[in-house]
Amino acid sequence: MSRYNFAGKGVASSVAIGYDRPLSTFFVQVMQPHPRIEGEEATYIWKGSAPGELPTAADAIAVAADYADLPKDLGAKLETDRLKTLGTFEGPAQLAAKPFIQASPPPIHTEAEAREAGYTRAVIADSTHHTLELLIEPGADLDSIFLAFDRDGNEMLHVHGWNFTIEPE
């Protein structure tokens, strides 16, 4: 895997871009200051977390270009990184993990992406040990296992609804 980090501009505090061989994709992570935690960053954009999501260096650069000043030779560096992995094969751990990657929740890492994907109902899920601020699909069956976007963790979760008291936000 390769990774290059750049100072952000505009809404971004930092940008990472690189190539992930096991997922066969380039990736971009755009970070911004966390809205509620002083000194921390939150994910603003995360593309390339699903297999083959950004197949070319140009695709990744197009995502990152608005958020950082990128060197002119970055495309060539990224493509060289990809080419260096062509003779690499999956190890036992990677082969064992592949089915779980395919069955994982959708690659949604920001509240904007979650809302765009239909997770628009804001709720608070409370149990003895956890309180979660979630976005769920409007028709989610709250007594079953359902997908939800965790607004604090910026990640998708499988929620076992019967373990929580769920109230509108």
Side-chain angles (χ1 to χ4, degrees):
M1 182 159 120
S2 67
R3 182 182 184 96
Y4 301 94
N5 296 302
F6 302 98
K9 66 179 185 181
V11 299
S13 52
S14 66
V15 175
I17 187 170
Y19 183 70
D20 186 325
R21 188 204 55 81
L23 292 178
S24 299
T25 187
F26 292 91
F27 66 87
V28 176
Q29 293 172 317
V30 178
M31 306 301 285
Q32 66 180 153
H34 194 284
R36 296 182 295 270
I37 304 172
E38 184 83 22
E40 293 291 324
E41 288 187 313
T43 305
Y44 182 65
I45 295 173
W46 189 345
K47 298 287 184 183
S49 61
E53 185 178 350
L54 296 174
T56 69
D59 293 331
I61 290 169
V63 173
D66 289 340
Y67 303 100
D69 293 323
L70 304 173
K72 294 193 184 310
D73 66 342
L74 182 59
K77 284 182 181 179
L78 290 169
E79 187 57 27
T80 300
D81 294 341
R82 184 190 69 79
L83 291 171
K84 287 179 181 177
T85 70
L86 289 180
T88 306
F89 297 96
E90 307 289 304
Q94 290 170 330
L95 289 171
K98 289 280 183 170
F100 296 102
I101 292 170
Q102 301 300 332
S104 64
I108 297 174
H109 302 287
T110 67
E111 188 167 329
E113 288 175 350
R115 290 184 180 280
E116 200 172 283
Y119 297 88
T120 56
R121 184 175 164 199
V123 298
I124 303 293
D126 191 43
S127 75
T128 306
H129 303 289
H130 304 286
T131 299
L132 302 171
E133 293 181 33
L134 304 174
L135 289 177
I136 62 175
E137 292 178 306
D141 179 0
L142 304 181
D143 292 324
S144 68
I145 298 173
F146 57 91
L147 280 172
F149 179 76
D150 178 1
R151 297 169 78 186
D152 288 325
N154 288 323
E155 63 182 339
M156 294 299 292
L157 304 173
H158 286 101
V159 176
H160 295 237
W162 57 86
N163 288 328
F164 292 88
T165 302
I166 300 174
E167 303 288 335
E169 186 178 65

